[in-house]
């Protein structure tokens, strides 16, 4: 055979490849066919490609009006396939029994903060990449990895609070009425009646909990991270020489390897063992002195003197080694950035050697950490009996508070990463602020009736001043001379939270971790004292069981955070729902637009109340109003992050004995009920084998590669993008066969060469990627991997998107990946919180032709629009949107279609097709709109113009 086209009459020249969104629409719904009519052509039970062999000969409905177009019937010469990826973002416990499923579901919920930390990594300023080189992380990468390690250690403290603190209190006589008598009998006999062996045994709980999180995350991602042979190696153009600076999504190896892998996993596990060892040694060393119980008296001479006089040399040595090892591990996490190898073989070998070295180093660190933990545990087990003055576990008296304070400082520092504040300056300011704040906390009254230290307010004032300086720098720096050299300050209007996205998402991640930790600790505490007291009294012994103070304080703050957020939501809803707005919407081709309000009709931002009596029009108006309300997610999340930051500071700054005492009796039961409700949801998921614990948020967190926390949810796009790329190239070259007599290596080289040529040269076949919602992001990611070389553009691939969030969400939150410079589209300002139309300002700017200033990345490769521009100047990209869509937006502009007929964005009908019961169309059902068929045919025509 030759490499010429084979003599075969192919019935289909165009492949319409439909990709679903976050709804996980099944192939039957995507293609409008029964399951018995479909056949899976590629893939497995988790995802793949489906099509209906009989789609060209459908059964016509005799009740259809003449000329009615069936959305399940493709145009002449078009083969329609569905790509299903939804199960890749879901992972259950498989054949495990109910108890195993319950723990796996709980582990998935606990992984949510790690996923948010990974998302925060990609909101940083990601630099353009060098061809064939290692990954360049950019400012803040090391700090974010340290923050991610802090999240792991925060979970260690929470699990330790349940086992080491509450557990040892229950084992030593506290009235834990919910526990069975067997628990007390187990710890009644020697040596488990001693404090040291009790702690050594109970220390297995936090270690086991972290190991469970590690195993659940690791087992899940083995299913699809770079899972299809060498497809990930070919992405970006294997064998194609590129020059200049590449956009991140177009760089080689972007989807091939996570930025944090086995070495970082080992460091997180090592830090877990070292922290537990340090806490155990802490309790043994400081247990003999009552003043060591609280931070307020810990720095006193009595506490330190008593610890110095301790005769337990083994515990001292173990504690010092554990502390030094923990500091070393934190440094290694920040220094050992993961690399991605791609392109040149010599570079690959260099990076592989570096990774092998790092793997060896981190393996020895983990072995040493386990040895230190065993040494400290043995010293407690065989070191004889000892008693703590308070009965509580001293190691956790202050550790969670200190850890939370450090993580908050990193979050505040991260607010300036994108906005250009020098990293060293932010670290210096927040270090001074943190130390002053810790000193102020140490000045709090040590007892309920005690007096605060004289330096408390001055130290808090110093911390407040340095924090205020950091926040002022975040606001002012883009306007400074140094900031203006990097670009005009107006560019941040097109970025999420005005360029403060990393800090906002890290605060949300920390908030999620603290909420889960607090509910766990206080929920267990409430359960332990929920039984009947042994004496038969009417009141239970809740006050005798004391968890670490930071969980009590934050638990009391949580209702106020929820109340403040609810008030904001109610005020916004009342402000924007006073009337039924007529929002501007584009004309629709082949359909109707019963509701159109020109921009000049509400130039002041206020819209007259509708007086229409048409029932369908009223339904559409209500759907528009609801969609407009939902569109305010960005500012609401920003307010939540600010409330959480204030809640962290309050929980750390005040003394539990002074504040919150009047509301603690009410908050405790409420939080216990919330924890029980969450547990019931987890149990229900385990019983019904549901595999996605937090719905839409889960799919969004799992989209980008792991880059901050190694235990984060796996990235399903590392399988989706290679599979989509392979399907496109296979279709474009499926009529070609390699010449006879070639070796395997020569056949691979021939395949790579023909794939690159098929993307840029005229071919008899073409592909239209039809993508809904989050599927549009996957399709765009795939197109960036299809770029043939530095000079060519795509000639046989088009893009049809609908219900997309590319412009207002992904483009604003991840500017270097999906922003205006990368896509070649216009930027978008933030949604307005109090306007009836949250996009009022953006609509005016689009109508006036005044684009938002965007920051040029300096990349030399083409944008997405450049990539899809055809020889006649048309762009092979059409996007459908409607005002009733609560998740769909224009990708380029709100301009009315009659002002710019050739624009990417077009309107879709806001009501269902007439052959069904007429209903308002929202986020789904775009393929049933007549504008979908029109757009598909237009794209095919653009590709056929040679």
């Amino acid at each position: 055979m030759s490499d010429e086209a084979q003599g075969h009459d192919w019935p289909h020249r165009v492949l319409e490849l439909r990709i679903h969104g976050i709804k996980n629409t099944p192939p039957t719904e995507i293609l409008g066919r029964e399951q018995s009519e479909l056949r899976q052509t590629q893939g497995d039970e988790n995802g793949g490609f489906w099509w209906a062999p009989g789609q060209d000969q459908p059964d016509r409905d005799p009740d259809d009006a003449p000329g009615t177009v069936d959305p399940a019937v493709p145009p002449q010469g078009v083969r329609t396939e569905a790509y299903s990826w939804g199960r890749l973002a879901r992972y259950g416990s498989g054949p495990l029994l109910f108890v195993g499923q319950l723990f796996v579901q709980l582990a998935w919920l606990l992984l949510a903060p790690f996923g948010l930390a990974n998302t925060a990594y990609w909101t940083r300023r990601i630099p353009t990449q060098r061809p064939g080189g290692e990954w360049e992380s950019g400012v803040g990468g090391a700090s974010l990895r340290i923050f991610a390690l802090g999240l792991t250690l925060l979970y260690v403290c929470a699990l330790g609070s349940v086992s080491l603190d509450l557990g040892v209190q229950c084992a030593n006589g506290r009235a834990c009425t919910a526990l069975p008598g067997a628990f007390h009998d187990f710890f009644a006999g020697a040596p488990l009646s001693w404090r040291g062996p009790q702690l050594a045994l109970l220390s297995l709980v936090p270690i086991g909990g972290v190991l469970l999180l590690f195993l659940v995350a690791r087992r899940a991602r083995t299913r699809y991270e770079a899972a299809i042979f060498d497809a990930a190696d070919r992405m970006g153009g294997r064998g194609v020489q590129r020059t200049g600076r590449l956009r991140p999504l177009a760089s080689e190896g972007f989807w091939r390897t996570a930025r944090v892998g086995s070495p970082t996993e080992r460091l997180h596990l090592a830090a877990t063992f070292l922290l537990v060892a340090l806490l155990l040694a802490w309790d043994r060393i400081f247990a003999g002195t009552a003043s060591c119980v609280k931070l307020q008296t810990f720095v006193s001479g009595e506490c330190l003197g008593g610890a110095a006089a301790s005769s337990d040399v083994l515990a001292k040595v173990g504690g010092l080694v554990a502390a030094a090892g923990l500091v070393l591990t934190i440094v290694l996490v920040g220094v050992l950035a993961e690399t991605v190898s791609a392109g040149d073989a010599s570079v690959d070998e260099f990076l592989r050697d570096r990774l092998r070295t790092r793997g060896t180093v981190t393996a020895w660190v983990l072995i040493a950490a386990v040895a230190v933990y065993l040494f400290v545990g043995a010293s407690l087990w065989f070191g004889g009996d000892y008693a703590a003055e308070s009965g509580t576990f001293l190691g956790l008296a202050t550790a969670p508070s200190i850890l939370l304070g450090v993580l908050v400082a990193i979050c505040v520092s991260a607010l300036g990463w994108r906005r250009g504040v020098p990293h060293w300056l932010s670290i210096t300011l927040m270090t001074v602020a943190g130390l002053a704040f810790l000193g102020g906390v140490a000045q709090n009254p040590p007892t309920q009736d005690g007096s605060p230290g004289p330096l408390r307010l001055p130290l808090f004032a110093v911390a407040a001043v340095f924090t205020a300086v950091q926040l002022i720098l975040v606001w002012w720096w883009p306007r400074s001379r140094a900031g203006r050299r990097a670009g005009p300050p107006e560019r941040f209007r097109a970025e999420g939270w005005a360029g403060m996205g990393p800090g906002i998402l890290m605060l949300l991640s920390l908030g999620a971790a603290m909420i889960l930790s607090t509910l766990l600790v206080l929920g267990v505490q409430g359960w332990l004292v929920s039984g009947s007291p042994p004496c038969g009294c009417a009141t239970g012994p809740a006050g005798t069981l004391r968890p670490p103070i930071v969980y009590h304080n934050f638990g009391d703050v949580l209702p106020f955070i929820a109340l403040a957020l609810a008030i904001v939501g109610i005020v916004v809803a009342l402000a924007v729902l006073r009337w039924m707005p007529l929002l501007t919407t584009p004309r629709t081709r082949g359909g109707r637009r019963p509701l159109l309000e020109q921009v000049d009709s509400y130039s002041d931002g206020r819209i007259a109340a509708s007086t229409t009596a048409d029932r369908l029009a009223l339904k559409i108006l209500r759907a528009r109003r609801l969609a407009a309300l939902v569109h305010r997610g960005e500012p609401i999340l920003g307010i939540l992050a600010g409330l959480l930051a204030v809640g962290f500071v309050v929980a750390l700054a005040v003394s539990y004995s002074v504040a919150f005492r009047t509301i603690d009796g009410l908050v405790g039961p409420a939080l216990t009920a919330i924890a029980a409700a969450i547990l019931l949801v987890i149990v229900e998921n385990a019983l019904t084998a549901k595999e996605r614990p937090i719905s839409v948020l889960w799919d969004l967190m799992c989209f980008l590669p792991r880059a901050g926390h190694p235990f984060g949810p796996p990235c399903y796009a590392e399988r989706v993008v290679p599979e989509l790329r392979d399907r496109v190239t296979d279709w474009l070259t499926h009529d070609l066969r390699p010449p006879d007599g070639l070796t395997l290596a020569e056949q691979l080289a021939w395949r790579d060469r023909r794939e690159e040529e098929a993307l840029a040269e005229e071919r008899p076949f073409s592909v239209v990627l039809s993508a809904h919602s989050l599927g549009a992001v996957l399709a765009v990611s795939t197109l960036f991997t299809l770029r043939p070389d530095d000079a060519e553009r795509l000639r046989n691939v088009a893009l049809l998107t609908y219900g997309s969030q590319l412009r207002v969400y992904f483009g604003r939150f991840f500017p270097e990946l999906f922003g205006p410079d990368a896509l070649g589209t216009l930027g978008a300002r933030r949604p307005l919180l109090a306007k009836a139309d949250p996009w009022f300002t953006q609509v005016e700017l689009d109508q006036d032709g005044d684009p938002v200033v965007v920051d040029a990345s300096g990349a030399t490769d083409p944008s997405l629009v450049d990539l899809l521009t055809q020889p006649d100047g048309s762009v092979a990209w059409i996007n459908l949107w409607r005002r009733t869509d609560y998740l769909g937006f224009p990708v380029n502009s709100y301009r009315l279609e009659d002002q710019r007929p050739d624009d990417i964005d077009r309107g879709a009908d806001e009501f269902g097709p007439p052959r069904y019961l007429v209903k308002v169309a929202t986020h789904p059902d775009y393929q049933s709109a007549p504008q979908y068929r029109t757009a598909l045919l237009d794209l095919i025509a653009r590709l056929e113009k040679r």
Side-chain angles (χ1 to χ4, degrees):
M1 295 228 175
S2 68
D3 59 352
E4 298 298 324
Q6 306 301 303
H8 184 81
D9 185 17
W10 301 96
H12 302 113
R13 299 292 177 177
V14 178
L15 173 64
E16 178 198 4
L17 185 54
R18 297 181 179 180
I19 309 167
H20 68 75
I22 54 181
K23 184 186 174 184
N24 190 25
T25 308
T28 54
E29 188 175 338
I30 297 175
L31 298 177
R33 298 285 175 168
E34 298 294 334
Q35 184 64 46
S36 60
E37 301 179 79
L38 299 183
R39 188 178 74 188
Q40 186 175 20
T41 57
Q42 297 180 36
D44 53 26
E45 70 278 5
N46 299 314
F49 299 87
W50 297 76
W51 83 297
Q55 60 182 345
D56 295 330
Q57 297 85 31
D59 295 330
R60 294 288 182 180
D61 189 339
D63 295 329
D64 282 346
T68 299
V69 176
D70 187 348
V73 181
Q76 183 69 29
V78 176
R79 170 177 169 134
T80 301
E81 292 184 359
Y83 178 70
S84 178
W85 56 268
R87 286 184 60 85
L88 294 175
R90 299 148 174 83
Y91 179 72
S93 51
L96 296 178
L97 297 176
F98 167 72
V99 175
Q101 293 175 356
L102 179 63
F103 280 105
V104 169
Q105 291 289 339
L106 179 61
W108 275 128
L109 184 63
L110 294 175
L111 290 181
F114 303 162
L116 288 172
N118 284 330
T119 305
Y121 177 95
W122 297 107
T123 60
R124 299 176 308 109
R125 190 172 298 280
I126 308 297
T128 56
Q129 304 295 314
R130 294 173 297 177
E134 62 180 305
W135 177 256
E136 297 180 29
S137 175
V139 175
S143 296
L144 190 139
R145 286 191 296 274
I146 293 175
F147 172 82
L149 177 61
L151 294 179
T152 300
L153 299 182
L154 196 63
Y155 274 165
V156 172
C157 290
L159 293 170
S161 299
V162 170
S163 62
L164 293 172
D165 196 1
L166 299 180
V168 77
Q169 292 181 56
C170 292
N172 284 279
R174 294 289 172 89
C176 302
T177 54
L179 291 176
F183 176 86
H184 300 282
D185 296 339
F186 179 76
F187 286 101
L192 290 181
S193 60
W194 300 346
R195 184 178 180 87
Q198 290 173 357
L199 292 175
L201 182 62
L202 293 172
S203 68
L204 295 175
V205 173
I207 291 177
V210 173
L211 287 175
L212 176 63
L213 297 179
F214 162 70
L215 293 174
V216 169
R218 188 174 184 85
R219 182 184 177 190
R221 65 176 176 264
T222 56
R223 301 193 309 162
Y224 47 81
E225 285 192 348
I228 54 171
F229 304 103
D230 66 338
D233 292 332
R234 297 198 308 275
M235 288 195 306
R238 186 175 64 186
V240 176
Q241 298 298 322
R242 295 179 179 174
T243 59
R245 304 290 297 187
L246 305 179
R247 303 183 190 279
L249 285 178
S251 61
E252 298 93 330
F254 183 88
W255 300 106
R256 182 166 59 176
T257 308
R259 274 68 189 167
V260 287
S262 298
T264 312
E265 287 175 338
R266 298 188 193 105
L267 292 177
H268 277 245
L269 293 176
T272 298
F273 282 101
L274 290 170
L275 178 60
V276 173
L278 177 60
L279 295 176
L280 291 175
W282 186 300
D283 185 84
R284 180 65 181 91
I285 295 171
F286 294 101
T289 308
S291 58
C292 297
V293 175
K294 298 181 179 181
L295 177 63
Q296 292 89 333
T297 56
F298 177 77
V299 295
S300 64
E302 179 185 356
C303 175
L304 298 179
S310 174
S311 60
D312 197 329
V313 179
L314 293 181
K316 288 182 179 180
V317 172
L320 290 174
V321 173
L326 187 59
V327 172
L328 175 62
T329 303
I330 294 173
V331 172
L332 289 177
V333 167
V335 171
L336 298 184
E338 292 294 324
T339 57
V340 177
S341 57
D344 185 74
S346 61
V347 176
D348 268 348
E349 185 60 32
F350 167 74
L351 295 178
R352 281 195 294 268
D353 290 341
R354 178 184 295 182
L355 288 175
R356 279 195 292 266
T357 301
R358 291 178 176 178
T360 302
V361 171
T362 54
W364 280 110
V365 171
L366 177 58
I367 293 173
V370 174
V372 172
Y373 165 73
L374 294 176
F375 174 81
V376 173
S379 69
L380 264 66
W381 190 282
F382 299 105
D385 192 17
Y386 72 96
E389 293 291 331
S390 65
T392 60
F393 181 70
L394 302 185
L396 287 169
T398 58
S401 301
I402 295 174
L403 188 58
L404 178 60
V406 172
L407 294 180
V408 171
I410 296 177
C411 292
V412 177
S413 171
L415 294 173
W417 288 352
R418 287 196 65 88
R419 293 178 64 86
V421 180
H423 199 36
W424 65 268
L425 182 57
S426 294
I427 293 176
T428 302
L429 290 172
M430 295 315 300
T431 299
V432 175
L435 292 176
F437 184 80
L438 179 63
V441 173
Q443 293 286 305
N444 277 334
T447 62
Q448 180 174 343
D449 300 322
S451 300
L455 298 179
R456 183 179 67 161
L457 292 181
L459 287 172
F460 281 160
V462 171
V465 168
F466 276 85
T467 303
V469 170
Q470 165 67 13
L471 296 177
I472 291 173
L473 282 176
V474 170
W475 171 83
W476 172 78
W477 194 268
R479 298 168 176 81
S480 67
R481 180 179 301 177
R484 287 183 177 275
R485 284 198 296 266
E490 291 78 12
R491 68 191 188 275
F492 292 108
R493 294 177 179 175
E495 297 184 4
W497 299 290
M500 294 183 286
I504 297 295
L505 279 176
M506 289 167 68
L507 282 171
L508 294 175
S509 172
L510 181 57
M514 272 301 297
I515 290 173
L516 291 173
S517 299
T518 300
L519 291 177
L520 174 66
V521 174
L522 298 187
V524 170
Q525 180 207 20
W527 170 73
L528 289 173
V529 298
S530 61
S532 300
C535 62
C537 305
T539 57
T544 63
L545 196 62
R546 298 190 297 271
I549 185 175
V550 68
Y551 300 114
H552 250 309
N553 284 1
F554 190 69
D556 286 337
V557 169
L558 269 179
F560 293 98
I561 295 177
L563 180 62
L565 192 65
I567 292 175
V568 171
I570 293 172
V571 170
V572 171
L574 292 177
V576 302
L577 298 184
R578 288 178 298 173
W579 53 75
M580 201 170 288
L582 291 172
L583 308 180
T584 181
T585 188
R587 297 185 183 275
T588 58
R589 302 186 184 185
R592 297 188 295 124
R593 51 160 194 177
L595 300 170
L596 171 67
E597 187 72 11
Q598 297 290 347
V599 177
D600 55 11
S601 298
Y602 64 112
S603 58
D604 61 348
R606 297 181 63 86
I607 309 166
S610 172
T611 58
T612 180
D614 182 79
R615 294 183 62 184
L616 176 59
L618 287 174
K619 289 182 178 180
I620 291 176
L621 284 171
R622 294 190 183 98
R624 286 183 174 188
R625 184 174 62 173
L626 178 61
L629 188 64
V630 175
H631 289 177
R632 293 166 170 81
E634 179 183 336
I636 293 296
L637 287 177
I639 292 173
L640 175 59
L643 291 173
L644 287 171
V646 173
F648 296 147
V649 174
V650 172
L652 291 171
V654 301
S655 172
Y656 171 69
S657 60
V658 174
F660 302 140
R661 75 180 71 163
T662 58
I663 65 172
D664 186 57
L666 300 175
V667 171
L671 293 179
T672 302
I674 295 174
I678 293 176
L679 184 61
L680 287 177
V681 172
I682 295 173
V683 170
E684 191 267 341
N685 282 352
L687 288 171
T688 57
K690 290 183 180 179
E691 300 174 343
R692 189 175 62 160
I694 45 180
S695 189
V696 172
L697 181 62
W698 193 256
D699 287 349
L700 297 178
M701 289 191 306
C702 298
F703 167 67
L704 288 165
R706 289 177 299 111
H709 202 294
F711 300 166
C715 170
Y716 57 84
E718 291 183 1
R719 170 175 164 177
V720 171
V721 175
E723 285 190 339
L724 288 174
R725 184 191 189 278
D726 262 15
R727 185 67 188 111
V728 171
T729 55
D730 286 347
W731 177 263
L732 295 179
T733 60
H734 70 274
D735 61 329
L736 302 178
R737 297 294 182 272
D740 294 331
L742 297 182
T743 64
L744 179 59
E746 291 172 337
Q747 291 181 16
L748 291 176
W750 177 90
R751 175 183 175 181
D752 293 337
R753 185 173 63 255
R754 294 316 305 260
E755 283 183 358
E756 298 296 332
E757 294 172 355
L759 294 170
E761 297 178 352
E762 182 176 344
R763 292 287 299 145
F765 303 103
S766 57
V767 178
V768 177
L769 292 177
S770 170
H772 176 236
S773 190
L774 185 59
V777 184
L778 295 169
V780 168
S781 303
T782 303
L783 289 173
F784 274 114
T785 70
L786 290 169
R787 182 170 61 89
D789 56 39
D790 285 334
E792 300 292 345
R793 304 292 188 267
L794 292 175
R795 291 294 180 264
N796 304 300
V797 183
L799 177 62
L800 174 56
T801 56
Y802 37 98
S804 171
Q805 307 91 36
L806 281 168
R807 186 191 194 194
V808 301
Y809 289 159
F810 286 90
R812 286 179 55 80
F813 300 156
F814 313 107
E816 285 73 34
L817 303 183
F818 303 101
D821 184 67
L823 299 188
T825 54
L826 300 177
R829 292 197 179 194
R830 65 177 177 86
L832 303 175
L833 195 59
K835 294 285 187 179
D837 181 0
W839 307 107
F840 166 71
T841 302
Q842 189 59 57
V843 170
E844 282 199 324
L845 291 175
D846 289 345
Q847 300 296 329
D848 297 338
D850 184 15
V852 180
V853 177
V854 297
D855 190 13
S857 64
T860 57
D861 54 336
S863 66
L864 181 65
V865 168
D866 293 334
L867 203 61
L868 294 173
T869 299
Q870 301 305 299
D872 63 349
S874 63
V875 179
W877 183 9
I878 294 176
N879 177 74
L880 302 177
W881 70 285
R882 51 172 71 109
R883 274 289 191 172
T884 52
D885 189 342
Y886 47 84
L887 280 177
F889 307 87
V891 298
N892 187 50
S893 174
Y894 280 93
R895 282 190 295 260
L896 297 178
E897 194 173 321
D898 48 10
Q899 293 178 329
R900 182 75 180 274
D902 60 341
D903 200 2
I904 296 173
D905 294 296
R906 295 185 182 179
D909 282 350
E910 297 178 306
F911 47 88
R915 65 195 187 99
Y916 299 119
L917 180 65
V918 177
K919 62 178 181 179
V920 176
T922 56
H923 190 52
D925 301 326
Y926 274 91
Q927 294 159 358
S928 299
Q931 293 78 28
Y932 180 88
R933 175 66 65 97
T934 302
L936 177 63
L937 294 176
D938 285 353
L939 288 174
I940 295 174
R942 293 179 188 183
L943 293 179
E944 291 176 349
K945 290 180 181 179
R946 307 297 183 186

